[in-house]
Amino acid sequence: MRGNLKEAILRTAQTFFNEKGYQETTMRDIAGALNISLGNLTYHYHKKEDLMIALLRWPDFMNQAPASNFEEFFALIRAMIDSLIVNRFFYTVDELGRATPEFYRHNVNAVSQIEEHLELSLQCLSDQGCLVPWRSEQERHAFTRMIMDSHLIWIKNSFYRLEEDQILYPDFLTIHWYLLESHVQKERHAEYMQCLPLE
């Protein structure tokens, strides 16, 4: 029962953080929604920051091997975007990443590991003959950073902009498809054309 309650607490906190905002949500909000006492909540998670840290788990895609074909690459991109959406509250308030010195270091390390995983996938695609060889490590790294930064900008805009002014999920995936297309080997272009990530 304790495990189920902890999961319920996390799901409820996630909903509040994403819909109401992390800073505007109180521990009383979460306890009230679950119909439990504040003491019961703080027994499992002492403070709101503990809930945030528990929600920001290592993404599942980090346990997978780097992408070695186009389908796997776009599956990785989808997983990366989905991991932002699930906890979008965290990426819309810059200060949360610096909640404590320990968490700041953890966050920087996590972002670096995700970036490295994406860059390894891009190199693997090149090694498999899917992409034109990168002219330098700097070029590959710059391309990786462009994707990473675009994800953060997109998730922030999806929170702050009106719905009609947002880039929709399928359109955002398609932007990735066009970006990578210029790096595709000519002999693999027909294969790549079949991977247009329409939803």
Side-chain angles (χ1 to χ4, degrees):
M1 179 64 182
R2 180 175 294 179
N4 290 339
L5 178 56
K6 290 189 76 170
E7 283 301 313
I9 290 170
L10 288 178
R11 286 195 303 271
T12 303
Q14 188 176 61
T15 299
F16 268 102
F17 293 166
N18 282 334
E19 294 181 0
K20 188 177 179 181
Y22 175 82
Q23 293 168 320
E24 289 74 23
T25 298
T26 67
M27 295 290 273
R28 288 189 185 280
D29 290 334
I30 297 165
L34 289 165
N35 200 26
I36 61 174
S37 69
L38 184 60
N40 196 357
L41 173 60
T42 57
Y43 172 80
H44 296 289
Y45 297 97
H46 298 301
K47 53 190 182 299
K48 194 167 62 169
E49 181 184 299
D50 295 336
L51 288 166
M52 175 181 70
I53 292 170
L55 285 169
L56 297 172
R57 297 168 178 161
W58 198 249
D60 290 340
F61 63 80
M62 291 298 293
N63 298 319
Q64 301 170 4
S68 60
N69 58 55
F70 296 132
E71 287 187 12
E72 290 178 359
F73 178 79
F74 285 109
L76 170 62
I77 294 297
R78 284 187 180 91
M80 290 177 67
I81 296 170
D82 290 344
S83 73
L84 295 176
I85 293 170
V86 167
N87 290 314
R88 62 187 178 276
F89 73 91
F90 179 77
Y91 303 98
T92 56
V93 181
D94 293 334
E95 291 76 18
L96 295 183
R98 299 184 292 272
T100 67
E102 295 78 17
F103 185 67
Y104 172 76
R105 285 193 293 272
H106 169 79
N107 184 46
V108 168
N109 180 59
V111 171
S112 296
Q113 293 295 320
I114 292 169
E115 183 177 301
E116 183 179 335
H117 189 74
L118 175 59
E119 192 163 354
L120 283 172
S121 292
L122 289 167
Q123 184 58 50
C124 190
L125 287 175
S126 180
D127 294 342
Q128 295 293 327
C130 297
L131 301 180
V132 174
W134 299 98
R135 290 178 295 181
S136 65
E137 289 185 11
Q138 290 79 10
E139 181 192 33
R140 186 190 63 218
H141 186 64
F143 193 84
T144 304
R145 288 305 304 267
M146 180 175 60
I147 292 175
M148 293 285 291
D149 289 349
S150 74
H151 288 188
L152 293 177
I153 293 168
W154 181 80
I155 199 66
K156 285 189 177 190
N157 285 344
S158 70
F159 189 83
Y160 290 113
R161 288 187 178 180
L162 296 174
E163 189 172 343
E164 60 268 22
D165 296 324
Q166 297 174 16
I167 299 174
L168 299 178
Y169 188 110
D171 296 332
F172 191 47
L173 283 175
T174 303
I175 288 171
H176 290 79
W177 187 86
Y178 283 118
L179 282 173
L180 195 63
E181 185 181 16
S182 62
H183 293 271
V184 174
Q185 291 276 24
K186 289 182 180 179
E187 57 270 22
R188 305 295 289 271
H189 196 260
E191 175 187 342
Y192 187 72
M193 292 294 289
Q194 298 175 8
C195 292
L196 181 62
L198 294 175
E199 299 250 322

